[in-house]
Amino acid sequence: MNKNKKFLVATAVVVIAISFMLFSGFKSEGVYYLTVGEVLHNPEKLNQKGMRVSGEVIAGTITKNTKERHLVFDIVDVEEGGAVMTVDYKGIIPDTFKEEIHVIIEGNYDIENKKFIAKTLLTKCPSKYEVDPEEEAAKG
């Protein structure tokens, strides 16, 4: 085998190994980004992997146990049809968590108990990222 063939074989082996590692890493750690309605319409199919779901916390539905770091609340899909889902979360409660705030949760849907078991809770505050009209007008 000449030098060029050895180099090509070695390069092919390295490329295949890196591709395999990337593919297996994405496959095991990847999560689907879904709406509340999508989860509720087909939970059996989507529940095999982790999911990331976005929604707005409904006012008056929060049950909070700060000592045990446990939250139960309902979220609504504001953008697509108003589907409602109960979320059960245990972990560090973000300081910005409150009623009528947009949240992103990661976890799995418990089909028997009809609630989402969240492992991660992220809050979004859209007003922090909006442009101030007065500041924008001052810029010209």
Side-chain angles (χ1 to χ4, degrees), residues 91-111:
I92 297 172
I93 300 169
D95 292 337
T96 55
F97 180 81
K98 60 184 178 182
E99 296 178 339
E100 298 179 351
I101 191 168
H102 202 86
V103 294
I104 298 173
I105 52 175
E106 291 180 5
N108 293 84
Y109 188 74
D110 182 352
I111 296 170

Side-chain angles (χ1 to χ4, degrees), residues 8-26:
L8 287 174
V9 170
T11 302
V13 168
V14 169
V15 169
I16 290 170
I18 290 172
S19 299
F20 175 75
M21 289 180 355
L22 288 173
F23 179 74
S24 62
F26 286 131

Side-chain angles (χ1 to χ4, degrees), residues 56-64 72-75 84 86-87 99:
E56 184 177 301
V57 178
I58 299 174
T61 63
I62 299 174
T63 303
K64 187 176 187 178
V72 178
F73 56 95
D74 291 346
I75 60 172
V84 176
T86 300
V87 178
E99 296 178 339

Side-chain angles (χ1 to χ4, degrees), residues 49-87:
K49 297 186 95 182
M51 295 182 250
R52 181 175 291 169
V53 183
S54 170
E56 184 177 301
V57 178
I58 299 174
T61 63
I62 299 174
T63 303
K64 187 176 187 178
N65 184 336
T66 309
K67 191 174 183 179
E68 295 182 16
R69 298 179 181 176
H70 185 223
L71 275 176
V72 178
F73 56 95
D74 291 346
I75 60 172
V76 62
D77 186 354
V78 177
E79 297 172 3
E80 296 182 18
V84 176
M85 178 172 68
T86 300
V87 178

Side-chain angles (χ1 to χ4, degrees), residues 22 30 34 38 42 44 48 53 60 64-65 73 82 91 102 107 112 114:
L22 288 173
L34 304 166
E38 290 172 327
N42 202 358
E44 297 88 11
Q48 301 300 320
V53 183
K64 187 176 187 178
N65 184 336
F73 56 95
H102 202 86
E112 291 179 17
K114 297 186 178 185

